[in-house]
Amino acid sequence: MRNIVVRLCMSEDGIVERPERWLPSGALAELTAGTGTVLLGRQTYERYADSLDLLGSRALVIASRPVSARPATELLQGETRRVLTALKSIPGEDLQVIGSLMLVRSLLRWRLIDEFSLLIHPVAAGRGVLLDRRPLRLISMSARDGGVLEANYRVRYAATAAPSTALVSAGRWGGTRSRARVASTERPAVRTHA
């Protein structure tokens, strides 16, 4: 069974949206290096298809509206959840989702994502969509040139789908955010022992 791996560029302050605004040109090409089958949402495909190096990769575009296809690109038709579940069950190399935040949200909701591979750049983006890493468990990390870190995470899905009264949907990545308040008494951040 194949894994679905999400590959994203992320700023040091956790922003994953529109990396071309805060990354040097050509940095997005790192996402597609060594990928066999790439899954792209319609918006990401239309925005980045010319700048991503998809040669040698099988590009699968998931779109509910018509898209102008380029060579070596296939449009997936049918119910997305069923099509991707079927693709996962076919033996082969992992399926790589490049960018495509709306697709990532849907895949998380359907519990189809297995791993995240983040290229964390030493740049503060300041504004944009944040990645909630609470449901992710770090499995490996390595340093790259230019201060970039590559962090690989496994997705931990909740055991039950029953809502908790103490938790509310974060609305961005399908995760949860606690409503509990922080204690109002001051406590030292670091304690010393004599």
Side-chain angles (χ1 to χ4, degrees), residues 104-124:
V104 169
R105 286 184 190 112
S106 296
L107 293 173
L108 280 171
R109 189 172 53 249
W110 299 329
R111 296 175 174 235
L112 290 176
I113 295 176
D114 300 292
E115 294 180 18
F116 275 80
S117 179
L118 303 177
L119 294 179
I120 305 169
H121 294 265
V123 175

Side-chain angles (χ1 to χ4, degrees), residues 58-93:
R58 178 182 178 201
L60 303 175
V61 179
I62 300 165
S64 57
R65 289 189 262 163
V67 175
S68 59
R70 292 174 174 84
T73 301
E74 301 171 47
L75 300 178
L76 293 181
Q77 297 181 348
E79 186 184 341
T80 304
R81 184 178 188 176
R82 285 186 183 171
V83 170
L84 292 179
T85 301
L87 270 175
K88 277 188 75 160
S89 66
I90 298 170
E93 57 191 16

Side-chain angles (χ1 to χ4, degrees), residues 1-2 9 14 22 31 37-38 64 68 72-74 76 83 85 91 95 105 107 138 142 150 159-160 170 176 186 194:
M1 187 169 186
R2 303 186 201 196
C9 287
W22 43 268
L31 291 176
T37 304
V38 176
S64 57
S68 59
T73 301
E74 301 171 47
L76 293 181
V83 170
T85 301
L95 303 168
R105 286 184 190 112
L107 293 173
L138 184 66
S142 61
E150 181 174 0
T160 64
T176 56
E186 292 183 12

Side-chain angles (χ1 to χ4, degrees), residues 92-165:
E93 57 191 16
D94 290 344
L95 303 168
Q96 311 283 329
V97 178
I98 306 296
S100 305
L101 299 180
M102 290 176 64
L103 176 60
V104 169
R105 286 184 190 112
S106 296
L107 293 173
L108 280 171
R109 189 172 53 249
W110 299 329
R111 296 175 174 235
L112 290 176
I113 295 176
D114 300 292
E115 294 180 18
F116 275 80
S117 179
L118 303 177
L119 294 179
I120 305 169
H121 294 265
V123 175
R127 298 175 63 181
V129 175
L130 293 168
L131 176 63
D132 182 6
R133 288 182 280 174
R134 288 176 289 186
L136 304 179
R137 181 176 54 92
L138 184 66
I139 54 176
S140 69
M141 182 176 272
S142 61
R144 290 181 161 213
D145 293 338
V148 176
L149 295 176
E150 181 174 0
N152 297 300
Y153 296 88
R154 197 86 169 127
V155 180
R156 292 179 297 169
Y157 292 105
T160 64
S164 169
T165 57

